[in-house]
Amino acid sequence: MSAPCYLSTRGRAPAARLAEAVAAGLAPDGGLYVPERLPRLEAGTFDPDGSLAATAVTLLAPFFAGDALADALPAICAEAFAFDAPLRPLTRPDASLLELFHGPTAAFKDFGARFLAACLRRLRADDAPPLTVLVATSGDTGAAVGAAFHGQPGLRVAILYPDGRVSPRQAHQLGSFGGNVRALRVAGTFDDCQRMVKVALSDPDLQARVPLSSANSISLGRLLPQLAYYAHAALRVRRTHGLALDLVVPTGNLGNALAAVWVRAMGLPIGRIVLACNANATLPEFFAGGDYRPRAAVPTLANAMDVGAPSNFERLRWTYPDDDALRRALTAASVDDEAIRATVRRYAQAQGLVPCPHTAAALHLLDREPVRTDRRWAAVATAHPAKFEQVLEPLLGHPLAVPPTLAAMLARPARAEPLAADPGALRDWLLATP
Ligand SMILES: *Cc1c(COP(=O)(O)O)cnc(C)c1O
């Protein structure tokens, strides 16, 4: 197999090898890396009894073929997929919950963060200067990246999060790592944090003085592993029920849902893909036929989806260059806070299942679909509810049990440095901080 090359969505950057694209995060022209073309795989290529890690190796091998990281792919997958992504049955017979929150920080972002850390650690030469990994987070990304990179030699992490817009437990998690992982609380929104990271990454003068990479969902090293749990779930559903898997995906920056779109384009048995957005309606308006109009984010109960300018939209457009074809490929809907609250209460009462606010948005849209015997749905559960106790406990009237790894993180002291919502402030911090 010849080595695939990776191009920028903006078309003004040289083609890169996978290892280069993963190391860089963002392409030098400010675009996002995409493969020259998506590989096609037959369902028969996969070991029907394989683990999630085994599915990941088979699925990702064509992306890694001929690359510096190719030989390490099985070890990288073993590190990243050390916990499962189970399908939990729901009361309605045609649907289940795809639980992606069994990692150390209890959100789906653990998969991508651990995969990226496993790649970057192997790409760094022992005598190279330390690499600073920048990450803008609306809550869960930063914790997952902090946990995955904490204590990794030669790597340091700067986490930027919008001050006051993440839950107290999330903020505590972000500041709890210490050592090579620093938390910066930015006086602005998530979009500000994301813009600051993008400006830093496309500043060659800064890069020459402080080698930088990104751990945002714009990084291919986070996006590619997310394909694995969709492939694994779809193969299980095909084997058990002989049907394709339809998905409702809680969506903010569009990284998780894009992985589902790519897996389907690669030939895996995935049917409909529904994007569950919160009141930030940039995507629902586009899919309803409107213009793509990025805007400032508004705060909602599903704060990890408070995104007004979803950065992976560039990759979606690359996947479907024709707007009409794109609108046929996906649907999207907004779920407001009232509907999120009502859905949390309903599932807690009727099924003894407490969804996180993001998962509740997906369940709300699932419940609008009629029950059918010829379809199989999975609503994607993106985080454990205990991360959002401030929203959920008042609705439920009782405390939520905290998973042990999360509890250990919360028991540590936490610290974050304040930063202005300005790319210049981040530049100064990076140059001044050893
Ligand atoms: C990040 C996150 C989302 C949104 O995922 P995107 O890839 O940004 O679309 C949804 N729910 C939770 C819990 C998250 O942490």
Side-chain angles (χ1 to χ4, degrees):
M1 225 181 306
S2 72
C5 72
Y6 292 82
L7 308 173
S8 164
T9 47
R10 301 201 181 162
R12 292 186 301 272
R17 293 290 190 207
L18 180 68
E20 288 174 277
V22 167
L26 196 68
D29 62 355
L32 280 64
Y33 279 114
V34 289
E36 197 178 9
R37 69 186 69 84
L38 286 170
R40 297 274 308 178
L41 284 174
E42 301 300 324
T45 318
F46 293 86
D47 172 1
D49 302 313
S51 63
L52 175 57
T55 300
V57 174
T58 306
L59 183 76
L60 299 179
F63 292 96
F64 280 70
D67 194 79
L69 285 170
D71 291 345
L73 182 61
I76 292 168
C77 289
E79 275 178 49
F81 298 98
F83 40 89
D84 200 14
L87 281 165
R88 167 182 169 145
L90 293 172
T91 307
R92 60 184 275 178
D94 64 339
S96 45
L97 201 59
L98 176 57
E99 291 185 346
L100 301 182
F101 54 69
H102 295 283
T105 70
F108 79 89
K109 294 183 174 86
D110 281 323
F111 288 110
R114 290 162 64 91
F115 192 91
L116 178 66
C119 289
L120 290 181
R121 197 182 71 236
R122 287 173 171 84
L123 286 175
R124 214 187 131 267
D126 287 340
D127 55 353
L131 179 68
T132 301
V133 176
L134 296 178
V135 55
T137 184
S138 51
D140 290 332
T141 293
V145 169
F149 283 78
H150 190 223
Q152 301 260 11
L155 300 172
R156 72 165 177 163
V157 174
I159 301 171
L160 285 78
Y161 71 90
D163 199 4
R165 291 177 192 238
V166 305
S167 81
R169 237 174 228 178
Q170 282 180 319
H172 191 100
Q173 253 190 321
L174 295 174
S176 73
F177 299 104
N180 66 330
V181 178
R182 312 284 284 263
L184 300 169
R185 50 187 176 87
V186 173
T189 62
F190 169 67
D191 288 327
D192 290 323
C193 298
Q194 188 153 262
R195 184 174 49 88
M196 291 161 73
V197 167
K198 278 198 176 189
V199 170
L201 289 171
S202 44
D203 178 345
D205 171 63
L206 178 61
Q207 283 265 19
R209 295 156 74 182
V210 184
L212 295 174
S213 185
S214 146
N216 277 90
S217 63
I218 52 180
S219 171
L220 265 187
R222 278 194 46 204
L223 181 60
L224 293 178
Q226 293 174 178
L227 276 66
Y229 43 74
Y230 290 118
H232 197 62
L235 291 167
R236 271 180 292 172
V237 165
R238 158 68 67 82
R239 200 164 65 246
T240 316
H241 304 285
L243 295 169
L245 179 62
D246 296 341
L247 291 164
V248 194
V249 187
T251 295
N253 228 356
L254 205 42
N256 200 7
L258 182 76
V261 171
W262 280 12
V263 163
R264 182 177 65 182
M266 289 169 67
L268 276 289
I270 288 177
R272 288 179 59 188
I273 298 173
V274 177
L275 310 180
C277 299
N278 59 24
N280 290 281
T282 306
L283 292 169
E285 287 176 15
F286 171 81
F287 282 98
D291 290 334
Y292 178 71
R293 212 165 46 78
R295 65 200 72 167
V298 297
T300 74
L301 294 180
N303 66 9
M305 301 173 0
D306 290 349
V307 179
S311 51
N312 277 297
F313 192 73
E314 284 190 41
R315 284 195 173 111
L316 198 56
R317 272 232 159 102
W318 167 84
T319 313
Y320 295 99
D322 176 63
D323 276 359
D324 292 330
L326 175 52
R327 290 194 181 99
R328 283 193 301 273
L330 297 170
T331 53
S334 266
V335 180
D336 65 21
D337 281 356
E338 214 31 68
I340 288 174
R341 283 195 194 92
T343 305
V344 169
R345 284 203 201 91
R346 196 153 35 82
Y347 273 81
Q349 278 161 12
Q351 306 199 23
L353 181 160
V354 179
C356 88
H358 315 80
T359 306
L363 289 169
H364 176 78
L365 295 185
L366 172 68
D367 289 344
R368 301 210 298 213
E369 300 292 332
V371 175
R372 293 169 52 155
T373 53
D374 60 346
R375 303 203 82 105
R376 290 300 304 186
W377 284 98
V380 176
T382 46
H384 190 284
K387 296 190 87 166
F388 302 94
E389 84 289 0
Q390 265 217 327
V391 172
L392 298 175
E393 288 179 357
L395 288 176
L396 302 168
H398 62 79
L400 289 162
V402 179
T405 48
L406 193 56
M409 225 169 267
L410 295 172
R412 295 207 294 259
R415 183 173 173 272
E417 299 167 53
L419 198 72
D422 165 28
L426 177 59
R427 188 175 199 280
D428 293 345
W429 186 89
L430 286 167
L431 289 169
T433 309

